Amino acid sequence: MSRLDRTLIADLAPFQGMHAADLDTMLGQARSMRIVKETAIFEQEGEAHSFFLLLDGHVRVVKTTPDGQQVIVRYISPGELLGIARALGRTTYPASAIAAVDCVALAWPSRLWSEFAAAFPSFGANTYKAVGARLQDAHARVIEMSTEQVDRRVAHALLKLIQQTGRKTEDGLLIDFPLSRQDIADMTGTTLHTVSRLMTVWEERGLVKSGRQKVTVVQPHKLLLLAEGHVDK
Amino acid sequence: MSRLDRTLIADLAPFQGMHAADLDTMLGQARSMRIVKETAIFEQEGEAHSFFLLLDGHVRVVKTTPDGQQVIVRYISPGELLGIARALGRTTYPASAIAAVDCVALAWPSRLWSEFAAAFPSFGANTYKAVGARLQDAHARVIEMSTEQVDRRVAHALLKLIQQTGRKTEDGLLIDFPLSRQDIADMTGTTLHTVSRLMTVWEERGLVKSGRQKVTVVQPHKLLLLAEGHVDK
DNA sequence: GATAAACGTTGCTGCAACGCAAACAAAGCC
DNA sequence: GGCTTTGTTTGCGTTGCAGCAACGTTTATC
C-alpha cells in the first residue's frame, strides 16, 4: 500500500479523528483483496471471521429467506465498513455481501475489531455512529414498507441510490453499477414486473432513462415529489 | 432506592459484568419517575435530553409519519434501556415512547451516557450488543414486510409479544398489557379491520382467545406453524 | 341509569399489485 | 452467424387486502 493510499484512507468516515500512527497500525494488519463481479465477500450464516473496508466498487448486502426470496438490505459504497457482525455480538454474518462490480477491499480478522475499538476510541465511536445510522435507516424502511405504496418506495430507492453513487452524465444522474429490475424489486419488496411497468411510465414522462441493468434519473426533483407523494402519480 | 432494588437491578442485561460500586455510582445519579398510562416518556423530534431504564410496566415506541400514520416500532419490557438516541449520534429522539400501562423508570441526563460507557466498559458493550440486536430485529422486520403476507405478520407479532410478556393463565399465554386491534395493525402494517377479521377466524379455530384490548394465545405452537407458513391458512 | 366515547365486528366494493405467460431484445458464447 | 442465456416488456386474469359504512358491545362519565 502506497503512502498516497494511506492519506486517502485517513479521510474515510470510519477513521475520522484517529492518529496517523494508529491508522498505520491498523493498515499494517489488513489484507488487501480483489473481489470479482457477482462473487461473495461473505455468505449469510457463515462464521464471521473477518470484517472489511470497501475501497473500490459496489457491494450489495442480500438476505435470503428460507423459501428462497431475496431482499437487498443495502448497497455499500467505497469507504464503508462491512461484515462487522462480530462487533455487534454475533458470531455469524446475518446476510451475504455480493460484489455488484469488481471490487477492492481490505480485510481484518474479526477478533481485531474489539482490540482496535479499545485502543483507538475514535474508531469504535465512528463505527457505532455508523451502526446508529443504519438502525435509523432500517426503521425508516420499516415505516416505508408499512405505509407507502410501491411507486413511492421505488422512487425513494432510486433517489437513495443516486445520492450514494450518482454520476453526472449528459442525460442526468446515472446509477454507477449494473442494476436490474429484479434488483430494484428486491430493494423495495415488489416484483420485477411491477418495477418494469413503473419504469416505462416514468420513461414516457421523462423522469428517467433506462436500459438493460442501467438506470439514469433525468429529473431527480420530480422523482422526489413523487416519492414524497406531493403529486398524483 | 432500597438495597434490595439495587440487587435486582444488577441482574438486568444493561449492567451485566459491572462492579457493584460502579452500578451504585450510576444509580446515584438517576432520577426515579412514574409515568401514567398513555402519557409520553419522550416525544419524537424532541431534544434527546435523557435516557431511561424501564423498571416496571410496558412502553410502546411509536413513529408517526408526516401524514399522521402510526407505526409501532417495538414494545419495551422492564429491564431495557430506552431513549439512547444520543449514544447513537442523534440529538433528537427518532420516535415517541408511550406508556402502555402505568410505568416506573429511571432517568439519566443524556450527556452522562458517554461518561458511563467510558468509565464502565461493560455497560457500553452491553448497550451496543443490545443495539446490534435491535438492528437485527429491524432488518428481520424489513424482510418480513417485503416477503410475507398479513396473516403471517400478525401471527409473528403476537408470538413476539407473548415471548416478551406472555403470562400463563388457564386459557393460555396472555399478553400482559392492553393491546387493541389498532395497535396490532400498527405493528404489522395493516388495518384494524383486517386484524379483526383474522382474530375472529383464529378464535373460531381455537388458536387465540381475545376480548377488548386483550389477547390470549391458546395454541402458540399452531400459531407458529401459521407464522412460518407450514400450514395453509 | 342514561348518555357518550372507545373499541370491535362484519358485509360489501374496488383496486393495486401479483402471477402467469408469451414475446422481444440484448449480450455472451461457440 | 447462429445459438443460448439473461434481462425486459406487456397483456390478461386473479386476489389479498384496504376503504367505507353500518352496527354491536363494552367501558367510562356524569
Side-chain angles (χ1 to χ4, degrees):
Chain A
M1 186 166 310
S2 77
R3 192 93 206 84
L4 179 63
D5 287 343
R6 301 208 176 191
T7 317
L8 291 174
I9 288 174
D11 281 336
L12 301 177
F15 310 115
Q16 287 305 303
M18 280 183 68
H19 297 298
D22 293 345
L23 178 57
D24 277 357
T25 306
M26 280 189 65
L27 294 181
Q29 295 178 75
R31 181 168 61 87
S32 176
M33 59 192 286
R34 330 189 104 267
I35 308 104
V36 304
K37 185 172 165 175
E38 292 302 320
T39 60
I41 300 179
F42 54 80
E43 302 260 15
Q44 184 169 345
E45 313 293 330
E47 199 211 338
H49 49 78
S50 305
F51 70 96
F52 307 84
L53 172 70
L54 184 64
L55 289 178
D56 190 47
H58 292 279
V59 173
R60 68 167 180 275
V61 178
V62 182
K63 272 206 158 207
T64 307
T65 63
D67 56 313
Q69 290 190 78
Q70 295 214 332
V71 176
I72 297 181
V73 177
R74 64 202 177 94
Y75 276 92
I76 296 190
S77 302
E80 291 184 71
L81 292 179
L82 65 156
I84 54 170
R86 209 61 163 279
L88 298 170
R90 289 192 52 98
T91 57
T92 61
Y93 296 115
S96 301
I98 315 285
V101 294
D102 288 347
C103 290
V104 179
L106 296 180
W108 290 270
S110 284
R111 61 176 174 74
L112 288 185
W113 192 89
S114 45
E115 285 184 29
F116 291 158
F120 321 129
S122 303
F123 176 69
N126 289 339
T127 311
Y128 286 127
K129 215 173 133 185
V131 171
R134 286 190 203 172
L135 185 57
Q136 275 292 107
D137 209 71
H139 279 154
R141 196 134 155 227
V142 170
I143 311 288
E144 198 175 278
M145 294 292 309
S146 305
T147 62
E148 267 156 43
Q149 37 202 51
V150 170
D151 55 344
R152 294 224 228 153
R153 300 207 302 267
V154 172
H156 230 116
L158 293 183
L159 288 169
K160 259 197 316 207
L161 286 175
I162 61 165
Q163 209 173 330
Q164 249 190 53
T165 74
R167 213 190 66 209
K168 191 130 187 76
T169 68
E170 52 181 12
D171 290 330
L173 292 158
L174 170 72
I175 293 170
D176 207 14
F177 54 82
L179 183 75
S180 71
R181 303 287 186 260
Q182 181 66 59
D183 290 333
I184 300 174
D186 289 347
M187 296 180 71
T188 51
T190 179
T191 61
L192 80 162
H193 307 280
T194 299
V195 172
S196 177
R197 284 178 245 269
L198 279 173
M199 297 298 284
T200 34
V201 172
W202 291 347
E203 188 123 24
E204 282 164 9
R205 286 214 236 144
L207 290 176
V208 301
K209 279 191 85 170
S210 73
R212 184 192 174 82
Q213 302 202 92
K214 178 165 150 290
V215 180
T216 308
V217 176
V218 181
Q219 305 197 56
H221 187 65
K222 287 205 176 172
L223 200 60
L224 181 63
L225 286 178
L226 203 156
E228 303 289 343
H230 298 315
V231 76
D232 48 307
K233 57 167 139 42
Chain B
M1 186 167 308
S2 77
R3 192 92 204 85
L4 179 63
D5 286 344
R6 301 208 176 191
T7 317
L8 291 174
I9 289 174
D11 282 335
L12 301 177
F15 309 115
Q16 287 304 303
M18 281 184 66
H19 296 298
D22 293 344
L23 178 57
D24 278 0
T25 306
M26 281 189 64
L27 295 180
Q29 295 179 74
R31 182 170 60 89
S32 176
M33 59 192 286
R34 331 189 102 267
I35 308 104
V36 304
K37 186 173 166 176
E38 292 302 319
T39 61
I41 300 179
F42 54 80
E43 301 260 16
Q44 183 170 345
E45 314 293 328
E47 198 211 340
H49 49 77
S50 305
F51 70 96
F52 307 84
L53 171 71
L54 185 63
L55 290 178
D56 190 48
H58 292 278
V59 173
R60 67 167 180 274
V61 178
V62 182
K63 271 208 159 206
T64 307
T65 64
D67 56 312
Q69 290 189 79
Q70 296 214 331
V71 176
I72 297 181
V73 177
R74 64 202 176 94
Y75 276 91
I76 296 188
S77 302
E80 291 184 69
L81 292 179
L82 65 155
I84 56 171
R86 209 59 164 279
L88 299 170
R90 289 191 51 97
T91 58
T92 59
Y93 296 115
S96 300
I98 315 286
V101 294
D102 288 347
C103 291
V104 180
L106 295 181
W108 289 270
S110 283
R111 61 174 173 75
L112 288 186
W113 192 89
S114 45
E115 285 185 28
F116 290 158
F120 321 128
S122 303
F123 176 68
N126 290 338
T127 310
Y128 286 128
K129 215 173 132 185
V131 171
R134 285 189 204 173
L135 184 58
Q136 275 291 108
D137 209 71
H139 278 155
R141 194 132 157 229
V142 171
I143 312 287
E144 198 175 280
M145 294 293 308
S146 305
T147 62
E148 268 156 44
Q149 35 201 53
V150 171
D151 55 344
R152 294 173 53 172
R153 300 206 303 266
V154 173
H156 230 117
L158 294 183
L159 287 169
K160 256 195 322 204
L161 287 175
I162 61 165
Q163 210 173 330
Q164 249 192 56
T165 74
R167 213 190 66 210
K168 192 131 185 74
T169 68
E170 52 181 14
D171 290 330
L173 292 159
L174 171 71
I175 294 170
D176 208 14
F177 54 83
L179 183 74
S180 71
R181 302 290 185 259
Q182 182 66 59
D183 290 333
I184 299 174
D186 289 346
M187 295 180 71
T188 52
T190 180
T191 61
L192 80 162
H193 308 280
T194 299
V195 173
S196 178
R197 284 180 248 267
L198 279 173
M199 297 298 283
T200 33
V201 172
W202 291 348
E203 188 123 24
E204 282 164 6
R205 286 214 237 144
L207 291 176
V208 301
K209 280 191 83 170
S210 73
R212 185 194 173 82
Q213 301 202 97
K214 179 166 149 290
V215 180
T216 307
V217 176
V218 182
Q219 306 197 55
H221 186 65
K222 287 206 178 173
L223 199 60
L224 182 63
L225 287 179
L226 202 156
E228 303 289 342
H230 298 314
V231 77
D232 47 304
K233 58 167 139 48

